[in-house]
Each structure stands twice: as structure tokens, then as C-alpha cells.
Amino acid sequence: MNYLDDLNENQRTAVLHKDGPLLIIAGAGAGKTRVLAHRVLHLLKDGVLPEEILAVTFTNKSAKEMRERILELIRSDRDLNLPISQSSLRAPTPFVSTFHALGVHIIKENATLLGLKRHFSIFDRSDSIRAIKEAMKKSDVDQKQFEPRKVLGLISRAKGDGISLPSYQENAGNDFMKRVVSQVWERYEDILKKECSLDFDDLLLKMMVLLEHNDDVRNKYNNTWKYILIDEYQDTNKVQYRISELLAGTSKNICVVGDIDQNIYSWRGADIQNLLDFETTYPNTTTVLLEENYRSTQNILGASNAIIEKNKNRVEKKLFTKQSSGEKIVVSSGYDEEAEAHYITQEVERLVKNGVAHKEIAVLYRTNFQSRILEEVFLYEDIPYQVLGTRFFERKEVKDILSFMRAAYNPENTADIKRIIDVPPRGIGKVTLLRMIEKRDHELSPVMKKRVDDFKTLLVHIREYGVAHKPSETVKYILKESGLETLLKSGKDSHKEENLERLQNVYELVTLATKYDNFSPQEGMEKLLEDAALATDQDSLEKETDAVKLMTVHASKGLEFDYVFVSGLEEDLFPQHSNDDRDSEEERRLFYVALTRARKKVFLTFASTRMIFGSREVRLPSDFISDIPDEYIETEGEAFQKRGDLLIIE
């Protein structure tokens, strides 16, 4: 079959376009990944070399899916003859990456220009919070008066807008909050520099600086990547927009895919204008609209269209499908949040009894606090569930092993040293640690000096071993030589089960590390550490488990399920009201995203009363429910009532 045969007319137009800017407005479930993968194949068949193509998206999951789709198309096309690389004896492939992983790649190749070592560390959010708290302490800023997470959020937003520390300080003026943030930011940068580290926002900001202020660097990548493809363009912030523009160079062979109706991240800097202004930024743009949906039934799409068309700041489009109308959307109310949760579990059990797999069901909510009662009832009813966000790389024992790796390659990273200095216990206290970090080892007693020297020797041995062995073997080496394996195997009876689970997690890390064994030892180790640092909430779903998925609507973006429950549809909860019309439109886009996650059926639930901040409040159903035309809805009314301590199902 010809590779174009399974595409609709508009998809084919997008795939066959070659030179110049291309804007693809792709509705939810409209096959955008298929289009991007086929577009890459078409470029290859048209003579473009694989290494001349760069495809960028936002999540590891999306990048992995795109990479697999492209490779599958390449492998299955018998007419495609790609040159074989002499160094690897295999055909080169397009560079498919997330924005942050691309930043790591470019920064590592040009580390000396930024005054960095190649083996710099990447702060995850917990590292950044720890450093912010330390910076606040050094700046005499009261953490009770100024919440560290908020301070970090303001710094992150400024970096995402491309604002440097000097510029921020210069514009702080008499703004008290900005002056406080300026103080803390300065100390925070000192900590990053001292530990030879970058945070997530630096990976983008430093990449932009390199491309913007160094002609040789920019020209190098313009000559390397002659065709740029960017997914989820509506989620780009100012820095990502500028990076895209710089990489596109003078040829402007840039293809972006986006959907304004799915822009839900303005709170972290995503700028909807990047997509709205694309045709102005890139004159002579070819624009293609993808409206045919391959995921959901017509009833789901009809409701989704009715919801989103009330927004004014959008590109007009209307999703449709050739599938059947499907089941109507169920709306159900409960007396309180517990009744609502019991209704959801009852429906889940009914679906499972009818042959639906647990993993094909998702329960979505607007804010994280809503998960508590849901988890409680799912546990009570003994229904397997998985909360999105419980990341493998965040488990203590896994972070310990990774810290040993990072500290071996980057001894300046005091965060990792602090984490593992007493894992397992070595009898090294805070005073000794401080002297060690400040390089005042000569002040230590002979006993303490030996303990510190033994620890430093261990790190040297790990580094030497890692240079010569596969990453999976290095993980095993660390587990054994650090004493962590012995510690976890010799726990007290009361902790044996917990320790066994922790040991199994480290064994799982060994298994995961085998994915990197095909690289050279050093490159494999670097890639393992990078992927661990850049892991997102959705990566917690990488290991397939047959369980109902519980997550926020934000976290569900890019995912799809047969059956979706959207809970807590109450005024001031979903939507969360503000006086800003832009916020109101974003709440509506968020509900649109929630609806379009479903393939077969949607359940909308709300409670008549809910406990909020310790007080029980009477709740009104969300306006979103009344915005859906009656033809798409069936109402179950007051599905539960509370009488005394009993829940009566009516």
C-alpha cells in the first residue's frame, strides 16, 4: 500500500508540503502524530537526509511515540534507501526530542562556551526547592512570609519569558516582591554555579542564549537541521518560540502543529499568541486544518464542539467523525464527595464486569486534593488504580543510586553528596559534611578523615568503573560497593517487606539501565541520568499496569481512554472562576481537553456538598454541564442520597 493511502485529503496536503513554513491546526484526535511521522517519511523519500530533520515535542511519551512511528514507517517502506553510517554500520535517523532534551544536547556540545563542564547536573523540582530554601536562608528571607514554591515559580516564569537575572533586578524598582525575588534568585544562581548544575528552565534559556549570541553555534545547527517539525506549538513559551525561530534560520523550513483549543498551560508561560501570530511571524505560510477525529464518538465530539465554540480567542474549526454517534454523556450527582466517589467505583465495576479492562478507564479531576477521597474509596472497594505522578525516579532508593552516579561524575554537586554521604550510615555528621564541602578536611580527626577519604575513594571507583562498563553493570556495582544492597537485605523483621520492595525497585533500575547498554559506557550513563532528570508525570505510566488511572485534567493531556469520568464539576472548582476572561477561556479549554480524552463514553459527576478547607459547603453544578446540548446527555439525577451513616443507591 502506498504510504499516502491511509491519510485523508487534508492530512495528505500537510504531508506533501515540503519547503517553507507550514502551520497545521490539528483538533483533538485528528491524527497529528500520524501526519508528522508520514511527513518525515515523505521528506526522506524526497531526498532529505535523516540527520537533516529535527522533530521536537513536549513530553518523553510523545517523543517516544513519534520516534517509534517514524522508525516503523522507515522500516516498512521497501523503496526507501537510506545511507549507512560508517561509524555505527546502521542508517542514521531523524533527531526526535523534547525541548528540554534538545537543550541538554546543545548545551553539552557547547558547554565550554557557557563556562560549564560536560558533566553538569540537572536540578529536578525537588532539587530546585531545596536550593531556593537555602538561598532564602542566605538572603534572610522568611519562608513563612514568602512561600519557597511561589518564589521558585516567579523565577521560573521570568526565565521562561527569556528574562535574565540582571534584567529582572534592573526592572524590580520599588516592587517589594520583585526585590525579594531578585535577592533570592541571585543566591540561587550562586548555588547552581557552585554545584555545576542547571535547572529545567536553564536548559531552555541557555540554549536560546547560545543560538542567539553565537553565530557559529547557530549556523552549525541551521546547517545540520534543515527541516524542523514542532508538535504542540500552542504550549510554547517565549523562550521556546525564540528557539524555534532561531533553529528555522533563513530557510524557514519549519512545520508546527498545534491546537489553540488545547492550550491549558498559560500559568506556566505557554503563550497562545505564538500560534495565533505564526502566519505573521512567517509570511507565505501554508495553513492546513485537520478536523476529522479518529478517536471519539460523534456524541462526545458534539458536546466538545458546543463547549469550545463559546471561546472567542481561537481558530474556528469543528471536529467530526465517521464513527457512530455512540453512547450519550452521563451526568450524575451525589450528596457529597464520598457519594460521588462511590458512584464512580460502582460504574467502574459495572464496566469491568462487562469486559472493559481497568487500564481503559480514567478518572479526571481539576485539582490534586480531589484524589484523596477517590483513592480511599477505590482502596475500600478493592479496585486496582494508579495515580499519575508517582514517578519511578522519585523513589528514595532509586534517587540514591542516581545520586551516586552523578556525584561520581560531578563531585561539585553538593546536593548529591549530602543525599548519599550517610547512605548506608557511615557515621559522618553535619559538621564533618560541612568541613568536607568547604574543603577543610585537614580539620577532621583521623577517624573522620578516614571515613571521608573512604567515601571519596568510593566515588572515584564508581567513576572509573562506569567509564569501562555498561550502565546496567555500573548500577549493580554501585548497589554492591556502596553497601546499599547489604543494608536492604539485612533490615529488621518489621521493615523486611518494605526493604524488599525498595531492593526490587533498584533491581528494576538495573533492568531499565540495560536500554542504555548499546551506547558507549560514558554516553549510556549520561543518557540514563538525563532521562531520569527529564522524566515527567506521564512517564509513571510507562510500565503498563491493568489499573484505573487517576489524574488531573492537566496531566491527562495527550492521553486517551475508552471511558473517562470527569469528577467535581462544580462552580468554583471546575471551572475555577476569576475576573480575567483569558482564565475563563482556559478553564473551558481544560474541560474540552477532558472530554476529548474519551473514545467511547464520558461520565460527568458532581457533589451537592463538599468539604472545602475543613468546612462543608453547598455546591452548584458547573455551568459547563448546562452548556452541553440536551441531545448529547442523559441525566441520572440524584444517584446517591445520604441517610444517617448509610449510602443508599437508588
Side-chain angles (χ1 to χ4, degrees):
M1 185 176 72
N2 186 288
Y3 68 102
L4 298 173
D5 288 349
D6 62 344
L7 302 175
N8 65 41
E9 186 179 341
N10 285 13
Q11 288 176 333
R12 199 176 295 121
T13 299
V15 167
L16 293 177
H17 176 276
K18 186 181 181 185
D19 294 325
L22 172 66
L23 171 62
I24 303 173
I25 304 293
K32 64 184 176 65
T33 305
R34 183 197 310 171
V35 170
L36 286 172
H38 278 74
R39 178 170 167 75
V40 169
L41 178 64
H42 179 71
L43 289 172
L44 295 175
K45 290 174 78 72
D46 207 28
V48 178
L49 296 175
E51 58 268 35
E52 293 177 335
I53 300 172
L54 169 68
V56 186
T57 187
F58 275 79
T59 67
N60 294 331
K61 183 179 182 297
S62 298
K64 181 184 176 186
E65 183 183 353
M66 193 187 301
R67 193 179 296 114
E68 288 173 349
R69 291 271 195 104
I70 290 169
L71 292 177
E72 184 183 339
L73 286 173
I74 290 173
R75 282 193 293 263
S76 61
D77 195 302
R78 296 179 181 178
D79 299 327
L80 189 62
N81 293 311
L82 295 177
I84 300 296
S85 166
Q86 292 299 316
S87 59
S88 64
L89 298 181
R90 62 184 179 187
T93 56
F95 194 103
V96 182
S97 169
T98 63
F99 266 106
H100 288 91
L102 177 65
V104 173
H105 174 79
I106 289 178
I107 291 168
K108 278 198 169 181
E109 287 196 337
N110 303 277
T112 53
L113 294 175
L114 293 169
L116 287 168
K117 296 178 182 177
R118 180 176 174 82
H119 295 296
F120 63 84
S121 295
I122 302 169
F123 273 18
D124 62 17
R125 185 158 180 82
S126 62
D127 292 326
S128 290
I129 290 291
R130 183 264 312 165
I132 285 290
K133 288 179 179 178
E134 187 179 331
M136 291 176 76
K137 190 175 180 181
K138 289 181 177 178
S139 305
D140 293 324
V141 174
D142 186 358
Q143 293 183 28
K144 292 179 181 177
Q145 186 179 358
F146 300 95
E147 216 284 307
R149 290 178 186 275
K150 184 179 180 183
V151 174
L152 176 61
L154 290 169
I155 293 171
S156 176
R157 184 63 180 266
K159 286 185 176 183
D161 287 340
I163 299 170
S164 65
L165 172 59
S167 296
Y168 191 89
Q169 290 173 323
E170 190 178 328
N171 293 320
N174 293 322
D175 188 314
F176 183 66
M177 189 65 191
K178 282 189 175 181
R179 287 167 63 186
V180 169
V181 171
S182 295
Q183 259 185 301
V184 176
W185 189 352
E186 189 168 349
R187 301 289 187 280
Y188 177 60
E189 290 299 321
D190 290 341
I191 293 168
L192 285 166
K193 187 175 182 180
K194 183 182 176 184
E195 298 190 12
C196 192
S197 301
L198 299 177
D199 65 17
F200 266 33
D201 300 298
D202 288 330
L203 298 178
L204 302 179
L205 188 58
K206 302 288 187 189
M207 172 168 51
M208 185 191 79
V209 169
L210 277 168
L211 294 170
E212 199 163 46
H213 299 296
N214 192 302
D215 293 344
D216 291 339
V217 172
R218 184 174 63 257
N219 291 335
K220 172 187 172 183
Y221 294 110
N222 287 160
N223 291 328
T224 300
W225 296 314
K226 296 177 181 175
Y227 289 86
I228 315 293
L229 296 88
I230 299 176
D231 192 13
E232 304 287 8
Y233 193 71
Q234 79 280 349
D235 291 336
T236 53
N237 61 21
K238 286 183 171 64
V239 168
Q240 288 160 329
Y241 161 80
R242 182 62 179 144
I243 289 167
S244 306
E245 190 176 30
L246 291 164
L247 287 173
T250 54
S251 66
K252 295 187 175 15
N253 290 328
I254 179 171
C255 162
V256 304
V257 183
D259 181 11
I260 288 167
D261 295 339
Q262 295 185 73
N263 172 270
I264 57 173
Y265 294 116
S266 65
W267 50 275
R268 68 182 189 198
D271 192 345
I272 201 170
Q273 286 301 130
N274 293 346
L275 188 59
L276 288 171
D277 295 343
F278 186 84
E279 292 162 308
T280 304
T281 305
Y282 299 94
N284 304 316
T285 291
T286 298
T287 302
V288 178
L289 202 60
L290 302 183
E291 297 176 290
E292 183 173 354
N293 178 284
Y294 294 88
R295 177 190 302 158
S296 308
T297 65
Q298 189 57 51
N299 275 333
I300 293 171
L301 296 183
S304 303
N305 288 331
I307 286 295
I308 203 63
E309 68 186 13
K310 288 180 177 289
N311 276 3
K312 296 175 182 176
N313 206 16
R314 63 188 294 261
V315 175
E316 187 65 37
K317 70 176 185 307
K318 200 156 192 168
L319 295 181
F320 70 92
T321 182
K322 292 176 181 175
Q323 296 187 57
S324 65
S325 56
E327 294 187 71
K328 290 189 175 184
I329 293 171
V330 171
V331 176
S332 180
S333 62
Y335 170 76
D336 58 13
E337 64 270 28
E338 186 177 343
E340 178 190 36
H342 275 285
Y343 168 75
I344 290 171
T345 56
Q346 172 194 282
E347 288 301 304
V348 166
E349 287 179 322
R350 184 181 62 78
L351 289 169
V352 171
K353 198 173 288 184
N354 289 334
V356 178
H358 288 96
K359 65 183 179 182
E360 291 301 342
I361 304 170
V363 182
L364 310 183
Y365 36 84
R366 177 63 180 83
T367 54
N368 279 305
F369 82 84
Q370 293 170 257
S371 72
R372 185 200 61 79
I373 187 64
L374 288 165
E375 287 192 68
E376 199 174 290
V377 176
F378 268 82
L379 279 169
Y380 179 79
E381 299 293 348
D382 198 26
I383 298 174
Y385 71 91
Q386 182 181 8
V387 180
L388 190 72
T390 309
R391 287 185 256 172
F392 175 73
F393 290 118
E394 285 183 348
R395 294 184 172 112
K396 181 187 182 304
E397 57 279 5
V398 174
K399 289 195 80 167
D400 288 343
I401 294 289
L402 296 174
S403 284
F404 273 108
M405 288 185 195
R406 282 195 298 266
Y409 282 99
N410 180 13
E412 286 86 1
N413 189 337
T414 57
D416 286 317
I417 300 292
K418 288 175 182 176
R419 181 179 186 89
I420 59 175
I421 193 70
D422 220 32
V423 177
R426 295 183 179 82
I428 298 177
K430 290 183 179 179
V431 175
T432 302
L433 175 62
L434 183 62
R435 287 174 180 169
M436 173 187 164
I437 290 171
E438 293 179 349
K439 304 191 188 307
R440 292 188 288 138
D441 297 29
H442 61 279
E443 297 178 13
L444 300 174
S445 68
V447 173
M448 282 298 174
K449 189 169 188 316
K450 184 176 186 313
R451 291 176 184 173
V452 169
D453 287 344
D454 287 346
F455 175 74
K456 289 180 177 179
T457 301
L458 171 63
L459 295 183
V460 171
H461 287 167
I462 291 171
R463 183 165 63 249
E464 291 173 347
Y465 189 91
V467 168
H469 294 80
K470 295 176 180 178
S472 62
E473 293 172 354
T474 302
V475 175
K476 292 179 190 175
Y477 180 84
I478 294 171
L479 181 60
K480 182 182 177 184
E481 295 300 317
S482 67
L484 195 55
E485 187 171 36
T486 302
L487 176 72
L488 294 176
K489 282 183 174 179
S490 61
K492 295 178 181 178
D493 289 343
S494 59
H495 294 105
K496 268 190 175 177
E497 191 174 329
E498 180 187 340
N499 281 356
L500 178 61
E501 185 180 339
R502 291 174 63 195
L503 188 59
Q504 287 171 340
N505 285 333
V506 180
Y507 288 160
E508 180 63 24
L509 180 61
V510 175
T511 302
L512 176 68
T514 59
K515 288 169 51 180
Y516 304 86
D517 285 350
N518 292 330
F519 298 97
S520 67
Q522 187 165 319
E523 188 182 2
M525 187 65 70
E526 286 180 12
K527 287 187 177 295
L528 171 58
L529 291 173
E530 285 169 21
D531 287 352
L534 299 177
T536 64
D537 286 347
Q538 287 194 0
D539 294 322
S540 64
L541 295 181
E542 283 296 297
K543 194 170 181 181
E544 189 61 65
T545 56
D546 189 25
V548 178
K549 308 300 188 257
L550 274 57
M551 67 191 82
T552 64
V553 182
H554 281 100
S556 74
K557 181 127 181 306
L559 304 177
E560 55 185 76
F561 304 90
D562 283 348
Y563 297 89
V564 171
F565 292 81
V566 187
S567 62
L569 276 163
E570 300 146 25
E571 288 299 296
D572 294 323
L573 181 55
F574 196 9
Q576 294 185 359
H577 287 300
S578 78
N579 294 324
D580 194 324
D581 288 341
R582 290 172 299 181
D583 290 341
S584 297
E585 292 211 348
E586 182 145 336
E587 288 292 307
R588 191 170 288 278
R589 291 195 293 268
L590 196 57
F591 185 50
Y592 173 83
V593 166
L595 292 175
T596 54
R597 296 313 91 201
R599 300 187 191 102
K600 296 181 179 179
K601 187 166 185 174
V602 174
F603 297 81
L604 306 179
T605 68
F606 63 95
S608 299
T609 71
R610 186 179 296 273
M611 191 72 79
I612 304 286
F613 300 123
S615 300
R616 182 152 299 282
E617 297 181 1
V618 174
R619 311 296 292 173
L620 294 174
S622 170
D623 281 344
F624 289 157
I625 295 173
S626 56
D627 285 344
I628 300 174
D630 292 343
E631 63 190 283
Y632 303 120
I633 282 182
E634 59 177 304
T635 305
E636 294 196 349
E638 190 75 7
F640 295 88
Q641 290 186 357
K642 202 164 190 176
R643 298 174 186 170
D645 292 328
L646 297 176
L647 279 174
I648 309 296
I649 302 175
E650 296 190 334

